[in-house]
Amino acid sequence: MVSNTQEFQIAIVPGDGIGHEIMDACIAVLRALERKHGLIFHCSEVEAGAEYYARSGTDITDEDFTALGNADAILFGAIGHPDIRWPDGTEIAPHLRMRKEYGLISGLRPVKAFPGLPIPLKDPRAQEIDIVIIRESTEGLFASLGKGTIEGDRIAKETLVITRDVCEPLFDEAFRLARQRKSKGGPGRVTCVDKSNVFTAMAFFRKIFDERAALNTDITADYRYVDAAALDLVRKPWEFDVMVMENMFGDILSDLGAGIVGGMGFAPCAELGPKHGLFQPAHGTAPDIAGQDKANPTAMLFSAKMMLDWLGERHDIQACRDAADDLARTIEDLFAAGDVVPMELGGTDGTKSYANKVLTKLG
Ligand code: ATP
């Protein structure tokens, strides 16, 4: 139930691989923000994921799955392990089931350049990159999850599904977000990314986008075919504001977005539904660096920042919004001063050193 107390039940799932390290850093930072801004977080930790499956034979218990849905917010580290799979070889990913069960249709994935940090694009305008990719997260090509077929070892089929019931709130969220960003100086533009020139389902996606755009005329409606969107994300990403797209396209383009601002460690995500919010970096468990204190916690910390913003809006608690702004400003200032350069970008700050500097600056 939505209330406006300053106390929140936060369900925490560290998950697998670097999930443990970045979550430790994140909890320490949340505790500091809690003290500073007069908030109370009742954090309950839930074991789930590939390592848990290897120990117990299940990826998450039914009881814990329900408990996550009853929390005010769900905070995930990262899930999965390349060597631990379901017997059919597919990935262990309880959060994918959660998207469906809890109606988390809108996956908000900010792509933002941080002044002070080196990024691959050398054009000075690249410092202005500030995009939010909204990845529809419950249908599209992923509607076929677990339902693909192989006929006679000759033909494999997966079915892409687009529904009005999902598209309408998805596009409304895109226009709402663009409006909120416009009130802070953003251009007020939503780009619909699709392949409507080829596929019937995508033409339907664009038709519904146009219908919702007609109800949001204060925001500019813009369009790109997905191939052109990939090109422009590299060629002139500073021209995008909010981009909204089908699930698979969002999966791919949000990794491309992370690449242009430094890597997966800079890719936070908020998965939002009508009643639930799940906050989890868009990256995986990075087995190549797990357990070595090398992970960049920026994506995890900005996912937590998005959780604070969401709780603040939903419960109308200014202290949450203040804590979110405080966290973002603290990290941005550390980057701008050159005081933190994550190892992911060739710097010397591992997860613990980065987190300690954030904690010191938060005071
Ligand atoms: P998934 O399929 O679960 O998304 P993946 O196998 O595509 O996972 P990631 O685990 O995201 O890949 O890792 C991709 C690359 O990005 C790896 O080289 C990994 O080390 C790096 N990486 C991912 N997250 C981070 C992070 N937080 N800090 C530093 N490097 C990271």
Side-chain angles (χ1 to χ4, degrees):
M1 198 177 74
V2 178
S3 69
N4 61 353
T5 69
Q6 309 224 136
E7 293 188 34
F8 299 101
Q9 307 284 341
I10 313 287
I12 306 253
V13 184
D16 301 307
I18 60 167
H20 300 284
E21 299 155 65
I22 56 172
M23 187 60 87
D24 284 349
C26 185
I27 291 173
V29 168
L30 277 177
R31 290 293 179 212
L33 290 166
E34 184 182 34
R35 285 191 294 276
K36 190 168 166 187
H37 293 278
L39 294 160
I40 300 173
F41 301 129
H42 301 286
C43 296
S44 51
E45 200 166 308
V46 167
E47 282 194 284
E51 292 161 17
Y52 181 63
Y53 169 76
R55 283 199 307 279
S56 70
T58 183
D59 59 346
I60 182 169
T61 65
D62 290 345
E63 199 182 21
D64 283 340
F65 194 96
T66 306
L68 293 183
N70 289 334
D72 291 309
I74 309 166
L75 195 58
F76 259 77
I79 294 268
H81 192 288
D83 302 329
I84 307 173
R85 299 272 162 123
W86 291 110
D88 70 357
T90 56
E91 248 184 275
I92 291 172
H95 54 294
L96 298 189
R97 291 209 309 282
M98 251 160 242
R99 287 177 186 164
K100 200 84 190 150
E101 180 77 19
Y102 297 133
L104 306 172
I105 63 168
S106 305
L108 273 55
R109 299 184 162 198
V111 176
K112 194 173 184 314
F114 291 104
L117 290 183
I119 56 173
L121 301 180
K122 296 303 163 219
D123 190 305
R125 286 172 294 181
Q127 292 294 333
E128 296 159 22
I129 297 170
D130 183 3
I131 305 167
V132 179
I133 289 178
I134 304 189
R135 170 189 177 184
E136 194 291 310
S137 303
T138 58
E139 54 182 32
L141 193 51
F142 280 71
S144 191
L145 205 72
K147 298 182 197 149
T149 56
I150 300 178
E151 297 166 14
D153 206 28
R154 300 196 71 81
I155 303 174
K157 291 183 183 166
E158 306 276 357
T159 304
L160 181 149
V161 177
I162 299 289
T163 67
R164 175 174 286 281
D165 284 354
V166 163
C167 285
E168 287 183 351
L170 176 80
F171 295 138
D172 289 348
E173 173 64 16
F175 286 109
R176 184 202 64 79
L177 183 63
R179 183 171 300 111
Q180 187 191 63
R181 286 160 60 87
K182 191 177 179 185
S183 73
K184 295 178 186 162
R189 188 183 314 118
V190 178
T191 305
C192 177
V193 177
D194 58 45
K195 194 72 182 168
S196 56
N197 51 335
V198 176
F199 296 108
T200 305
M202 290 287 164
F204 182 57
F205 187 80
R206 186 176 287 204
K207 172 179 173 297
I208 300 169
F209 176 79
D210 281 338
E211 290 170 13
R212 303 319 275 187
L215 302 174
N216 291 278
T217 49
D218 56 321
I219 301 299
T220 306
D222 181 32
Y223 308 87
R224 285 289 190 295
Y225 298 132
V226 65
D227 41 346
L231 178 72
D232 285 345
L233 270 171
V234 174
R235 208 167 53 148
K236 43 181 182 177
W238 44 87
E239 290 190 359
F240 290 116
D241 180 12
V242 174
M243 305 173 81
V244 62
M245 61 199 75
E246 177 273 335
N247 205 338
M248 183 72 148
F249 291 166
D251 187 27
I252 298 167
L253 289 192
S254 59
D255 269 31
L256 172 55
I260 61 170
V261 294
M264 292 311 295
F266 293 95
C269 180
E271 305 196 11
L272 307 181
K275 296 194 187 128
H276 296 87
L278 186 154
F279 303 84
Q280 178 185 27
H283 60 70
T285 54
D288 51 336
I289 56 165
Q292 299 168 47
D293 190 37
K294 288 182 179 169
N296 175 3
T298 309
M300 181 77 247
L301 292 173
F302 271 84
S303 300
K305 182 245 180 226
M306 293 169 88
M307 176 185 82
L308 293 168
D309 272 330
W310 181 76
L311 287 170
E313 286 309 311
R314 196 168 154 72
H315 299 265
D316 195 18
I317 303 285
Q318 189 56 37
C320 278
R321 298 186 194 103
D322 293 345
D325 290 347
D326 194 4
L327 177 55
R329 212 175 24 251
T330 298
I331 297 172
E332 283 162 7
D333 287 353
L334 286 167
F335 287 158
D339 291 338
V340 170
V341 183
M343 286 185 176
E344 188 177 21
L345 290 178
T348 53
D349 292 294
T351 320
K352 286 186 184 140
S353 148
Y354 181 133
N356 285 336
K357 289 179 186 177
V358 171
L359 290 170
T360 304
K361 197 162 171 64
L362 278 173

